[in-house]
């Protein structure tokens, strides 16, 4: 009997769990949710297979100070999300730690709360997550959480994905698939072409794409001469931590480097809702020696990107030459194994938690900075199951598909026309630093931070969210879209991902109904449906 019991147990443990739906969406981002809602609204079955437990991506993981650009081009399900955020903050109970009248109304290039349009663009992480969960509940969408794609077992037949499997031996089969991840894992596993890193400017006839040594935009560079050596001015003493010993490369050429990642921390300065910064395991104060030298040069912009969100909280973003961006520590992330990605995640977490503790406690930090930083701490009522730390690393850029169309800075800046639009973007060409290196004069500098304003909103073509037909006929990619590095710097905004998620879902349903490849969807029918659903295409 004992042997029989063991045999039965083993056979059960390898049983494959199978699910079917018209559309299978891989990812837990805001794009995944808007895509699923749209499929449901159009009467087809849909399943979200999410590696994340918490839905919403960066929109519900600290990025509450929304990069809107021109909000008039944000329509459809994306605008509905911001409308529901607005409705939440009309409730007196939403203002637990602050009176609404005390909040102010500062947004990024737009008021935080727009009473005329009934939208709100600035919000707390838990509020965003609840809106996404409400969408899921209202539309009865099946979500499988903490399910990681088995990147070796994507099943294809006759140019189409038949099924995907997860590491827990679950299998999901569908008619059309949508990769809504920041990394593009399904896209890559399906054999679709993509690019990682910066293309040379010569590839697409661009100005701002490749290596940008000597170009100093924003304020995220060293404005004074600072030595990167352990003994200032003595190269033989070795480099300080967080400085590369590699040649930065030739201006305009391509490389494998990507813009830096960070966590968008949600901090509070309310003593009743604040957890003081503690020394993280593995803390090493020498990692921040370069920042001490920045302070000693007179720099005092530590709190310039503590952007206010409701209830005495802030969405903290990188600012200055040495900040929350962990420059140069993410190059292998896009194509890394899950195990390696976890290591990179932990490296960023230690760096950033250590930075906060350092700023609040180290005697080498100017007293006024320490005093102010000590008034801040992790918000006690956010990310309550994760030590009040965001679940999601800000993967600003990973793989980018090389699809039917490639959006470049020329399309973004209006130099080239875009046909068959499925959404619009409007943010500046915006890339964070990609490396920190030693210049020929022996001083340290950052490279890769680009901020170029664009004159007007631009169109994003249908061809930018579909692969080439010979590679895969039933996959749409609304997040790792087909674009150059610098064009992606504008496209990569959360409202745009929501817009493209909805448009991708619309195309998926039309492909199913027309029994065609996604590349053969009738654009006029697609456009008609998008406009009906209040997408903004002009």
């Amino acid at each position: 009997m004992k042997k029989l019991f063991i045999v039965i147990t083993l056979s059960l443990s390898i049983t494959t769990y199978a699910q079917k739906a018209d559309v299978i969406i891989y990812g837990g981002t805001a794009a995944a949710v808007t895509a699923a809602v749209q499929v449901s609204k159009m009467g087809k079955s849909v399943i979200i297979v999410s590696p994340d437990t918490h839905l919403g991506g960066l929109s519900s993981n600290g990025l509450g100070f929304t990069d809107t650009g021109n909000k008039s081009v944000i329509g459809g399900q994306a605008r509905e999300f911001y409308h529901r955020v607005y409705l939440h903050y009309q409730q007196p109970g939403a203002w637990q730690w602050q009176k609404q009248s005390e909040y102010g109304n500062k947004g990024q290039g737009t008021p935080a709360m727009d009473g005329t349009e009934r939208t709100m663009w600035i919000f707390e992480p838990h509020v965003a997550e609840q809106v996404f969960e409400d969408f899921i509940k209202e539309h009865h969408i099946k979500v499988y959480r903490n399910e990681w794609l088995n990147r070796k077992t994507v099943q294809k037949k006759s140019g189409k994905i038949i099924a995907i499997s997860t590491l827990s031996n679950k299998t999901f089969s569908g008619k059309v698939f949508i990769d809504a991840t920041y990394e593009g894992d399904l896209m890559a596993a399906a054999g679709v072409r993509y690019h990682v890193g910066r293309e040379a400017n010569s590839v697409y006839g661009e100005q701002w794409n490749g290596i940008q040594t000597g170009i100093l935009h924003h304020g995220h560079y060293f404005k004074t001469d600072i030595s990167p050596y352990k003994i200032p001015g003595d190269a033989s003493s070795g480099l300080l931590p967080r400085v590369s010993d590699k040649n930065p490369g030739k201006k305009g050429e391509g490389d494998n480097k990507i813009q830096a990642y960070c966590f968008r921390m949600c901090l509070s300065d309310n003593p009743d809702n604040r957890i003081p910064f503690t020394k993280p395991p593995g803390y090493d104060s020498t990692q921040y020696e370069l920042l001490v030298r920045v302070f000693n040069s007179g720099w005092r912009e530590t709190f310039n990107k503590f952007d206010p969100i409701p209830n005495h909280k802030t969405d903290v973003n990188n600012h200055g030459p040495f900040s929350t961006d962990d420059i140069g520590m993410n190059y292998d992330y896009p194509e890394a194994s899950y195990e390696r990605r976890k290591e990179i995640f932990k490296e960023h977490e230690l760096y950033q938690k250590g930075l906060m503790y350092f700023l609040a406690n180290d005697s080498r930090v100017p007293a006024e900075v320490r005093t102010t930083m000590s008034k801040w701490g992790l918000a006690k009522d956010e990310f309550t199951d994760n030590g009040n730390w965001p679940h999601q690393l800000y993967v600003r850029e990973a793989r980018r598909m090389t699809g039917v169309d490639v959006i470049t800075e020329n399309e973004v800046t209006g130099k080239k026309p875009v046909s068959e639009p499925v959404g619009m973007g409007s943010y500046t060409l915006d890339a964070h630093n990609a490396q920190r290196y030693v210049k020929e004069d022996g001083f340290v500098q950052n490279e890769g931070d680009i901020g170029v304003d664009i004159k007007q909103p631009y169109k994003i073509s249908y061809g930018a969210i579909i692969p080439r037909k010979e590679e895969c006929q039933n996959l749409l990619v609304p997040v790792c879209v087909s674009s150059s590095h610098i064009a992606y710097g504008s496209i990569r905004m959360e409202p745009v991902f929501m817009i493209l998620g909805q448009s991708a879902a619309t195309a998926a349903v039309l492909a199913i109904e027309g029994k065609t490849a996604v590349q053969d969807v009738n654009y006029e029918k697609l456009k008609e449906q998008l406009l009906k659903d209040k997408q903004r295409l002009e």
Side-chain angles (χ1 to χ4, degrees):
M1 289 296 292
K2 190 174 182 180
K3 289 183 179 179
L4 178 61
F5 177 76
I6 292 172
V7 170
I8 291 172
T9 302
L10 288 174
S11 66
L12 287 173
S13 69
I14 61 173
T15 299
T16 299
Y17 180 98
Q19 277 284 331
K20 291 183 178 180
D22 293 318
V23 179
I24 304 295
I25 299 169
Y26 182 61
T29 61
V33 176
T34 58
V37 169
Q38 182 67 10
V39 173
S40 178
K41 282 184 173 181
M42 294 182 72
K44 300 298 181 186
S45 60
V46 60
I47 293 173
I48 292 178
V49 182
S50 173
D52 310 304
T53 302
H54 297 267
L55 299 179
L58 261 294
S59 287
S60 57
N61 272 276
L63 207 169
F65 196 72
T66 306
D67 303 311
T68 52
N70 186 328
K71 66 182 187 296
S72 69
V73 303
I74 301 170
Q77 195 66 31
R79 182 164 282 264
E80 174 65 14
F81 168 81
Y82 296 106
H83 172 60
R84 292 199 181 194
V85 170
Y86 171 87
L87 293 178
H88 170 83
Y89 285 108
Q90 297 309 301
Q91 304 171 51
W95 300 91
Q96 182 180 1
W97 305 106
Q98 181 181 37
K99 292 181 180 179
Q100 182 176 348
S101 59
E102 295 174 353
Y103 166 61
N105 208 22
K106 178 191 174 187
Q108 189 165 174
T110 181
M113 194 178 303
D114 188 331
T116 303
E117 294 285 333
R118 293 174 61 80
T119 52
M120 188 163 178
W121 308 94
I122 311 299
F123 45 84
E124 298 160 276
H126 75 271
V127 172
E129 184 173 358
Q130 187 57 57
V131 172
F132 290 123
E133 292 293 349
D134 289 345
F135 284 148
I136 296 298
K137 185 177 180 180
E138 289 168 19
H139 294 276
H140 309 288
I141 294 166
K142 288 184 180 180
V143 182
Y144 290 82
R145 303 169 195 254
N146 196 28
E147 291 292 343
W148 296 79
L149 178 71
N150 186 329
R151 289 144 75 174
K152 298 178 181 179
T153 60
V154 172
Q155 300 175 43
K156 288 182 73 178
K157 183 179 179 181
S158 302
K160 293 184 176 182
I161 302 171
I162 304 301
I164 63 173
S165 299
T166 59
L167 296 182
S168 66
N169 276 330
K170 292 183 177 68
T171 297
F172 301 88
S173 59
K175 298 173 183 176
V176 177
F177 292 77
I178 296 175
D179 185 337
T181 63
Y182 292 120
E183 294 85 2
D185 284 341
L186 175 55
M187 170 190 72
V192 171
R193 271 180 281 186
Y194 59 86
H195 190 84
V196 175
R198 301 183 284 190
E199 298 93 345
N201 283 332
S202 59
V203 174
Y204 297 119
E206 296 176 291
Q207 180 180 357
W208 302 111
N209 191 354
I211 297 166
Q212 298 289 329
T213 46
I215 302 299
L216 305 173
H217 292 173
H218 295 122
H220 312 314
Y221 60 91
F222 292 86
K223 297 179 180 179
T224 57
D225 289 342
I226 292 178
S227 176
Y229 302 113
K230 292 177 181 177
I231 299 174
D234 182 2
S236 66
S237 66
L239 287 170
L240 291 174
R242 311 287 163 181
V243 181
S244 172
D245 61 356
K246 304 289 192 301
N247 186 296
K250 187 177 179 182
K251 183 179 177 181
E253 290 186 348
D255 61 15
N256 68 343
K257 297 179 176 65
I258 53 178
Q259 56 181 315
Y261 298 167
C262 69
F263 289 93
R264 294 292 284 256
M265 299 176 296
C266 183
L267 306 184
S268 173
D269 64 353
N270 184 315
D272 296 325
N273 193 39
R274 180 186 72 207
I275 297 177
F277 301 116
T278 57
K279 184 188 295 186
Y283 174 75
D284 175 7
S285 65
T286 66
Q287 297 297 310
Y288 313 104
E289 176 64 33
L290 196 58
L291 179 56
V292 173
R293 296 184 187 182
V294 173
F295 282 134
N296 290 343
S297 74
W299 184 85
R300 292 293 184 275
E301 300 175 19
T302 306
F303 304 101
N304 280 29
K305 284 300 290 179
F306 275 51
D307 293 313
I309 62 175
N311 283 309
H312 278 290
K313 298 176 189 177
T314 185
D315 167 2
V316 177
N317 197 9
N318 179 82
H319 180 78
F322 192 107
S323 184
T324 57
D325 278 359
D326 198 357
I327 298 174
M329 304 304 285
N330 62 341
Y331 299 152
D332 59 334
Y333 179 90
E335 302 196 79
S337 66
Y338 294 138
E339 291 74 18
R340 174 60 185 144
R341 284 183 186 166
K342 287 178 183 177
E343 292 174 357
I344 295 170
F345 186 102
K346 284 297 182 183
E347 150 61 33
H348 283 72
E349 183 177 354
L350 172 58
Y351 167 75
Q352 207 160 326
K353 285 182 174 179
L355 176 62
M356 295 299 105
Y357 178 80
F358 179 82
L359 288 169
N361 294 280
D362 198 285
S363 61
R364 294 172 295 168
V365 174
E368 66 269 28
V369 175
R370 271 184 286 137
T371 299
T372 302
M373 184 60 74
S374 295
K375 295 177 181 178
W376 291 96
L378 298 176
K380 191 182 294 184
D381 59 350
E382 300 288 352
F383 315 119
T384 56
D385 63 344
N386 196 46
N388 310 102
W389 192 257
H391 307 100
Q392 174 75 56
L393 179 64
Y394 193 177
V395 178
R396 288 189 171 93
E397 173 185 18
R399 299 181 179 97
R400 301 185 311 280
M401 180 170 64
T402 306
V404 172
D405 296 334
V406 179
I407 303 296
T408 74
E409 75 176 50
N410 297 309
E411 285 77 16
V412 171
T413 57
K415 294 178 182 178
K416 287 186 177 181
V418 174
S419 60
E420 301 190 342
V422 291
M424 300 188 74
S426 63
Y427 206 73
T428 58
L429 293 171
D430 181 75
H432 284 232
N433 281 305
Q435 59 183 327
R436 179 179 291 133
Y437 69 101
V438 182
K439 298 184 294 177
E440 291 183 358
D441 62 6
F443 296 110
V444 65
Q445 193 51 274
N446 295 336
E447 183 275 322
D449 187 88
I450 297 297
V452 178
D453 288 334
I454 60 175
K455 294 180 181 178
Q456 60 188 16
Y458 58 92
K459 301 173 184 177
I460 300 169
S461 68
Y462 180 52
I465 64 171
I466 53 175
R468 300 177 189 190
K469 192 173 183 179
E470 64 270 21
E471 294 171 2
C472 191
Q473 297 175 26
N474 66 336
L475 175 69
L476 295 113
V477 185
V479 178
C480 293
V481 300
S482 179
S483 66
S484 69
H485 155 76
I486 194 58
Y488 196 75
S490 174
I491 294 169
R492 64 178 181 84
M493 305 303 156
E494 291 291 297
V496 178
F497 289 153
M498 290 189 232
I499 290 166
L500 296 180
Q502 179 179 348
S503 294
T506 306
V509 172
L510 293 179
I512 292 169
E513 291 177 345
K515 298 181 179 180
T516 66
V518 295
Q519 292 83 2
D520 296 329
V521 167
N522 182 293
Y523 176 72
E524 290 306 316
K525 286 186 177 180
L526 176 58
K527 179 181 178 181
E528 180 182 0
Q529 185 67 47
L530 294 178
L531 293 175
K532 178 182 176 183
D533 294 327
K534 300 181 180 180
Q535 289 281 55
R536 312 271 175 94
L537 305 181
E538 297 285 346

